[in-house]
Amino acid sequence: MYEWREGSTAVTRTTFGGLVQPTGLFITIDGTIYVDNGAEGKVEKWAFNEKKSIVVMNISSACYGLFVDTNNNLYCSLGREHRVVKQSLDDDTSIIKNVAGNGSCGTAFNMICTPGGIFVNVNFDLYVADCHNQRIRLFKFGEIIGITVVGDVESLSIRLSCPSAIFVDADGYLFIVDQGNHRIIGSNSNGFYCLAGCSGVKGAASDQLYLPFTAAFDNYGNIFVADAFNYRIQKFNLMINTNGK
């Protein structure tokens, strides 16, 4: 996974608004922003139009992914600790619970390795971009044993290289930032297909990506990609086929 590293000659540590090298970000439908400030040991909440944040979770390392579910639980993907945790935002006394991974890098069903982006569906099932295991893991609500739904195993049709973000639409179709393959892929009733960076080769051309970190969809289905090593945000417009589908 693409990481900021202290002491790197290529990256300078900067601070903005009290944040130090934020990596995780989540915005709710009402415009509330949750942002990782892992270098300072916390996740902060910025309410819409507020000029000051509040701390909503104390953490021991950076969140490579953040998510708030419909029950107002905050999830943090602790990439360096190989686990995902959650905490209720409605209860100040709520403890942080481990919901995926056991803190060690590994390939067992209860393990993940450098998890990145996360997604929680309406059933509170947790999807994890299990970067260094080259797979997407699904942890059903309340279960610590995960299922590989996409990844580098013989029974599945597509191979990933350090997936860094995962999104699931209302129909249950998956969209993945396949970081090491420099592309964005999606699924439909026919299986997986490429959406952006489809050559699979890193580059700076308008149809290429270089280690993309995350992505977001707008209301029209267009994709915005954090094209990390090209130092840019790329927009790929939704194309409608001739049948209007």
Side-chain angles (χ1 to χ4, degrees), residues 119 121 127 150 166-176 185-193 217:
F119 187 94
N121 66 17
Y127 291 82
V150 188
I166 172 71
F167 310 92
V168 185
D169 70 11
D171 296 316
Y173 293 126
L174 277 62
F175 299 87
I176 301 166
I185 59 175
S187 67
N188 58 24
S189 58
N190 296 317
F192 281 92
Y193 62 100
F217 293 82

Side-chain angles (χ1 to χ4, degrees), residues 159-162 178-183 197 199-202 211-212:
R159 294 191 175 190
L160 305 176
S161 177
C162 190
D178 190 11
Q179 186 183 61
N181 286 322
H182 315 288
R183 63 182 181 173
S199 69
V201 178
K202 66 184 179 184
L211 292 178

Side-chain angles (χ1 to χ4, degrees), residues 45-65:
K45 171 186 175 182
W46 295 77
F48 182 66
N49 276 341
E50 289 291 331
K51 296 181 179 180
K52 186 176 181 180
S53 67
I54 61 172
V55 176
V56 292
M57 179 186 282
N58 293 302
I59 50 178
S60 48
S61 63
C63 297
Y64 288 172

Side-chain angles (χ1 to χ4, degrees), residues 1 26 64-67 77 84 115-121 125-131 135-138 149-150 160 162-169 172-179 184-187 192 213-217:
M1 173 177 286
F26 188 86
Y64 288 172
L66 289 172
F67 199 94
S77 178
V84 179
I118 50 181
F119 187 94
V120 181
N121 66 17
D125 302 325
L126 169 67
Y127 291 82
V128 181
D130 190 7
C131 170
R135 62 190 183 182
I136 301 297
R137 298 287 280 171
L138 168 61
V149 292
V150 188
L160 305 176
C162 190
S164 55
I166 172 71
F167 310 92
V168 185
D169 70 11
Y173 293 126
L174 277 62
F175 299 87
I176 301 166
V177 178
D178 190 11
Q179 186 183 61
I184 313 296
I185 59 175
S187 67
F192 281 92
F213 190 75
T214 192
F217 293 82

